[in-house]
Each structure stands twice: as structure tokens, then as C-alpha cells.
Amino acid sequence: MKGGCGRRTLGEKREREKPMQATQAGKLDAVRKLKKIQALFVDDCRIQRVVLKTRRKMSWRPTYRSSKFRNVYGKVANREHFFEGIPITKNVHDNHFCAVNAKFLAIVTESAGGGTFVVIPVTQFGRIDPHYPKVCGHQGNVLDIKWNPFHDNIIASCSEDASVRIWEIPDGGLRRNLTESVLELYGHSRRVGLIEWHPTTSGILFSAGYDYKILIWNLEIGEPVKMIDCHTDVILCMSFNTEGSLLATSCKDKKLRVIEPRSGNVLQQEANFKNHKVSRVVFLGNMKRLLTTGVSRWNTRQIALWDQEDLSMPIIEEEIDGLSGLLFPFYDADTHMLYLAGKGDGNIRYYEITLEKPYLQYLMEFRSPAPQKGLGVMPKHGLDVGACEVFRFYKLVTLKGLIEPISMIVPRRSETYQEDIYPMTSGTEPALSADEWLSGINRGPVLMSLKEGYNRPNKLVFKAPVKEKKGGVVNGIDLLENVPPRTENELLRMFFRQQEELRRLKDELTQRDIKIRQLELELNNIRNSPNINNNNNSSSNGSSI
């Protein structure tokens, strides 16, 4: 029994040891598996580190891109800061019809019998009187207006009457209609559609007409000093580089040109693009880049970035949308931000431009339900730096007859001056005189700090040359008009003048015919009078005796 019990006890012990051994073996297996997993995890981490290092070496795009302007947002001014009751022009010409500076806001208005525009102080908000004084010296519709960058009271305008005029606006605005310009410039044979002031030189103005020519005017003498005649169709846009030594133009002949303005030479070979039809062009500061807006072969709106030294192929092309309105580009050289606003759209897209890929970085979009006819841009020295405002538009809403100020703001908590978003910018003093620039000197703009000098008064005085105006009005027709009528209004005026002249000449001819008949009758009466017959008979009898 004992032996049997002993044997049973030994078997029981073995049976009891089996699960214990299995548990220990399972633990060992679990530990081994855990170690293998840890080893695999370590290897995986090592592999990931190697891959990340390789990616960092091979990739040009950073893993995270920081920008001071990624949160810029558009803010519409309060309703009491709108300009209302302005009859904005309904002209379909592709221009902004608006110009702004630190003192005045100028808008081209709808009028009959000639072109007019209104000039309002920027602080005179609210509804404008319908009889508010206007600038009304042009005989045709005004197509473009631009403020002098160095004199806040001088504005240039061009019109369908083929003239360019310089106006001086008194401080405080107009008190009566302004009809006499400081300077009248005639040189184009057709209507003038574009004008641009030189960015660094005082007294130099560029004008582009529908005669396919660009004239450079020296306002110190009131005469054109150079004609650029390299375009074969209507010039759509002009843009200068920072120092004004190069001029970029887009033309209706689908060509983009970079021109040396003083010589008129095309520095870059004209490129004819099939994939991108250029409509607007802008120089991107000192980046040696050009940006154009236009349409693709599929009639979608797109933008293209170009190297100014090689126009054979664009650096990049990017499609925007499928709308049909013209895209206007606005570039801020201080923040390297590009704003795109479509004519007839209600939104404004903005990008940040860099010299490295991806070159164009989309930031955000400002949206509004009201379509825009045009946009005016406030110069840098007129911005509110206390509110971190980096750009300001003045949006023309034709249907409502109002102008909305839209501020682009960088959100900052501090109310102190932010030097990182307000670098030294182009000031209100010219870097060159007209004669210096024409002699071949190039110089960058005179920079100013918005912290110290943005409210500094400008002491520059504009002096117009004294020109003798020759009298040439004959029978109501001005002989100084050296251009044929091109607009419907001008044609009608000329037609009515000719009708009046014809009517006057017919009346004069009729009076002369009557006078001739009267003289003929008097002559016949004299011949048939009896006294003359008796005298004749007596004289004949005397001769016969």
C-alpha cells in the first residue's frame, strides 16, 4: 500500500509539475517574443530615422513652413467710413477708374458731354452731394487717373480725346468745378488708355495710346522726350521695376516685353505664348521676377511667374478658376505678398512669393458678395501702422454707387510699432531729377521709416512750364486739335459743328445770291431808264450832224 501510495504520490507530483513547467515555458516564450518585438521596434525606429534624414537631405520643401503673414485677414471698414452717392463710370475699359493717396480719393464718374472725375479728401466719409465739384476739362471719357507719387496734390489723367492733362488739387479739396489744367499734353494720334508715373524720378510721366505707342513726357518742359514704338497692337499694361530702369509691358498681340525705356530697346526677345495669354504684368520688386495674369488655352484664369532675364518659358503656371473677369495683380514689395482681384468678382486672393520652391504660397481669401468695378490702393505712408495694416484697398461698387475701404491686417496682440512687418519703404522724395534720369543715371527709391516719417510733410513744389497757347479757333473749329475724332461724343460734336458751319455758309450764300439778283435788277433798270435812252439818241444825232 505504501509503495503504491508512494508511486501515486510521485505521479501526482509529476502531474502537478507539468502545468508549472508549461507556465514557465510560456513565460520564457513571452519574454523572447517581447525581446524580438523590442528589437524590431528599435530597428524600425532606426530605419525611420534614416529615412527622415534622407528626406531632409533630398527634399526642398520644409516639414513646417512658418510665415508672419499666414493669418492676414481682410477687414471692411464701418459703414460710416464708406463713400456713398458717387456716380461711378460705366465705361468698360479695363482700368481701375480709381486713384488714392494719403490726402485724396479720386474716382472717374459718369457724365455727359465729356469726361469728369471727382476728388474727395480721404477723411470726408459719408454721402457725397450730387452737385459736388468735379474735374471736368476733358472732351472725352476719362480712361485712367494716377496721383504723383511725390506730390499729393498733383494728379494726371488721360482720355479718349487723345490728351493727357496734369491737374493741381488745392488742399482741402475742390470748392468749384475745375476746368483749367496745369498742363495739357498732346502727342498721341488716338485715345490714351494708360498713364504711369516714374517710380523714382520727379516730372517723368509715361502714356500709352491706342496708336500702339508709348510717350515719355518731361513735365519740366511739357514736351515728349522719347517715343517707344515696338508694339504692334494696343498696350494693355505697364509696370516698372524698383529703380525704374526697366519697363515691362503686356500687349494685345499676346506678347510680353521687357524694355529699356530711355533707348526704347526690347531687352528680352518677344515671346509668343500659346498656353498663357497675358493680360496684366507686374514687376516683383528686386526679385528679378515678373508675374502675369491671363487665361489659358482652355479659357481658365491663371497666373504665371517669369524670370525677367529669360522669357522663353514661365517658371511656374497656376490656374485660378474658370471665371471670365480680368485678374488684377497687386504686389507689396515690403511683405512680398501678391493680391489677386478679379473684375466683377467679390473676392481677393492673396499669396506670399519666395525665391525658392514652391514660389507661390497661397495664404487666404477675402470674400464679399458685392462685385468690384475697380480697386484703388493706398500708398504705404497712408496706412494705419497702429492697427498692423499692411495693405488697403478702396473697392468700387458700381451698382450701389459706393466705395468700400478694405484693410489687410496682420493679427498682433501688442499695440506697439511692429518693425518686422514694416521695413524701410519707398518714401515721398524723388531720388532723381528728370534730367538726371534722362542722362542715364539709375538710382533706387529714397527709403523712409513708417515709424518716424510717415506723417512727414512733403515740401516738393510742382512747377508747370510756361507755354504759349496759340490762338487757332476759326469759325468755331479749334485748329489745335491735331487728332481726328475717335469717340462717339467727339464725333457728334464735330458733326454738329460742321452742320452749323454748313447752315451758316448756306445762309451766307443765299444772302449773296439775293444781293446779286438785286444788283442785276438795278443794272437792268439803269440800262432801261428813258433818260439814258434820250441821252444816247441825242449823242447819236449830234454825231450824225
Side-chain angles (χ1 to χ4, degrees), residues 346-365:
N347 56 351
I348 300 174
R349 300 175 178 87
Y350 39 102
Y351 302 75
E352 191 171 5
I353 297 182
T354 59
L355 289 173
E356 299 177 352
K357 292 183 179 180
Y359 302 114
L360 282 172
Q361 183 68 35
Y362 175 77
L363 295 176
M364 209 177 294
E365 180 179 356

Side-chain angles (χ1 to χ4, degrees), residues 135-204:
V135 180
C136 48
H138 282 287
Q139 297 178 357
N141 293 328
V142 176
L143 299 181
D144 197 10
I145 50 176
K146 292 284 172 40
W147 288 103
N148 189 325
F150 309 113
H151 199 299
D152 289 339
N153 296 72
I154 300 298
I155 187 171
S157 63
C158 62
S159 169
E160 289 182 347
D161 61 6
S163 71
V164 178
R165 304 195 181 199
I166 311 298
W167 311 85
E168 185 171 6
I169 309 300
D171 291 332
L174 299 176
R175 299 186 181 275
R176 60 179 182 273
N177 286 345
L178 182 62
T179 57
E180 292 294 329
S181 59
V182 176
L183 204 57
E184 297 181 12
L185 308 174
Y186 291 95
H188 289 279
S189 60
R190 297 187 65 184
R191 58 180 175 174
V192 187
L194 291 172
I195 49 174
E196 288 288 344
W197 293 91
H198 194 272
T200 61
T201 307
S202 63
I204 294 293

Side-chain angles (χ1 to χ4, degrees), residues 393-411:
F393 293 100
Y394 285 80
K395 175 180 174 180
L396 274 62
V397 183
T398 308
L399 298 177
K400 299 180 181 179
L402 57 84
I403 288 88
E404 298 179 357
I406 302 173
S407 299
M408 312 307 295
I409 297 175
V410 179

Side-chain angles (χ1 to χ4, degrees), residues 5-18:
C5 292
R7 285 194 293 273
R8 285 196 297 271
T9 303
L10 183 60
E12 290 175 356
K13 287 182 178 180
R14 290 176 179 175
E15 291 294 331
R16 291 174 183 173
E17 289 176 355
K18 283 182 180 179

Side-chain angles (χ1 to χ4, degrees), residues 274-343:
K274 297 181 180 179
N275 298 333
H276 180 72
K277 182 181 177 182
V278 177
S279 59
R280 287 293 182 271
V281 60
V282 61
F283 262 103
L284 300 182
N286 292 322
M287 289 186 175
K288 293 186 177 181
R289 296 280 192 272
L290 291 169
L291 186 129
T292 59
T293 64
V295 294
S296 65
R297 63 169 65 182
W298 298 279
N299 287 331
T300 58
R301 296 195 297 187
Q302 65 175 187
I303 56 177
L305 190 66
W306 309 84
D307 185 352
Q308 74 176 31
E309 297 178 354
D310 183 11
L311 298 180
S312 58
M313 287 293 292
I315 299 174
I316 59 167
E317 291 180 348
E318 184 173 336
E319 292 191 2
I320 304 299
D321 53 33
L323 300 179
S324 59
L326 180 67
L327 273 178
F328 291 109
F330 302 90
Y331 180 68
D332 184 1
D334 298 335
T335 60
H336 304 294
M337 289 181 64
L338 172 72
Y339 301 87
L340 294 179
K343 189 173 183 179

Side-chain angles (χ1 to χ4, degrees), residues 67-73 350 363-364 409-411:
S67 173
K68 295 175 288 193
F69 308 105
R70 66 179 182 273
N71 294 321
V72 172
Y73 66 95
Y350 39 102
L363 295 176
M364 209 177 294
I409 297 175
V410 179

Side-chain angles (χ1 to χ4, degrees), residues 1-260:
M1 294 293 293
K2 290 181 180 179
C5 292
R7 285 194 293 273
R8 285 196 297 271
T9 303
L10 183 60
E12 290 175 356
K13 287 182 178 180
R14 290 176 179 175
E15 291 294 331
R16 291 174 183 173
E17 289 176 355
K18 283 182 180 179
M20 293 175 64
Q21 292 174 357
T23 302
Q24 291 177 357
K27 289 182 178 179
L28 290 173
D29 292 339
V31 171
R32 289 171 185 167
K33 288 181 180 179
L34 183 61
K35 289 182 178 178
K36 287 182 179 179
I37 290 171
Q38 289 176 350
L40 290 173
F41 179 74
V42 172
D43 293 340
D44 190 23
C45 290
R46 290 175 181 173
I47 292 171
Q48 288 181 358
R49 288 174 185 171
V50 173
V51 170
L52 286 175
K53 288 181 180 179
T54 307
R55 284 181 180 176
R56 287 172 184 171
K57 290 179 180 179
M58 296 177 61
S59 176
W60 46 261
R61 183 173 295 178
T63 56
Y64 175 75
R65 183 182 175 278
S66 62
S67 173
K68 295 175 288 193
F69 308 105
R70 66 179 182 273
N71 294 321
V72 172
Y73 66 95
K75 181 181 178 182
V76 182
N78 297 328
R79 184 76 184 191
E80 57 267 19
H81 290 163
F82 285 11
F83 300 86
E84 302 183 41
I86 300 174
I88 302 171
T89 180
K90 297 179 182 178
N91 197 313
V92 296
H93 190 69
D94 290 331
N95 266 340
H96 297 293
F97 303 109
C98 180
V100 193
N101 63 13
K103 284 186 179 181
F104 300 106
L105 169 66
I107 306 103
V108 179
T109 57
E110 188 73 12
S111 63
T116 63
F117 60 95
V118 63
V119 178
I120 309 168
V122 291
T123 56
Q124 187 177 332
F125 313 115
R127 182 166 292 277
I128 304 301
D129 186 5
H131 302 289
Y132 192 86
K134 297 178 177 63
V135 180
C136 48
H138 282 287
Q139 297 178 357
N141 293 328
V142 176
L143 299 181
D144 197 10
I145 50 176
K146 292 284 172 40
W147 288 103
N148 189 325
F150 309 113
H151 199 299
D152 289 339
N153 296 72
I154 300 298
I155 187 171
S157 63
C158 62
S159 169
E160 289 182 347
D161 61 6
S163 71
V164 178
R165 304 195 181 199
I166 311 298
W167 311 85
E168 185 171 6
I169 309 300
D171 291 332
L174 299 176
R175 299 186 181 275
R176 60 179 182 273
N177 286 345
L178 182 62
T179 57
E180 292 294 329
S181 59
V182 176
L183 204 57
E184 297 181 12
L185 308 174
Y186 291 95
H188 289 279
S189 60
R190 297 187 65 184
R191 58 180 175 174
V192 187
L194 291 172
I195 49 174
E196 288 288 344
W197 293 91
H198 194 272
T200 61
T201 307
S202 63
I204 294 293
L205 182 70
F206 285 65
S207 64
Y210 276 63
D211 53 2
Y212 315 153
K213 295 177 177 59
I214 297 176
L215 295 182
I216 305 177
W217 301 89
N218 183 358
L219 302 186
E220 294 180 358
I221 61 175
E223 297 290 340
V225 293
K226 179 66 182 177
M227 182 179 70
I228 301 174
D229 189 11
C230 60
H231 300 84
T232 60
D233 210 326
V234 177
I235 299 148
L236 301 177
C237 184
M238 296 188 293
S239 178
F240 290 96
N241 63 346
T242 303
E243 61 182 14
S245 60
L246 296 177
L247 174 68
T249 62
S250 62
C251 185
K252 206 171 181 180
D253 61 4
K254 303 179 183 180
K255 294 181 181 180
L256 178 65
R257 296 172 175 86
V258 177
I259 304 169
E260 205 291 315

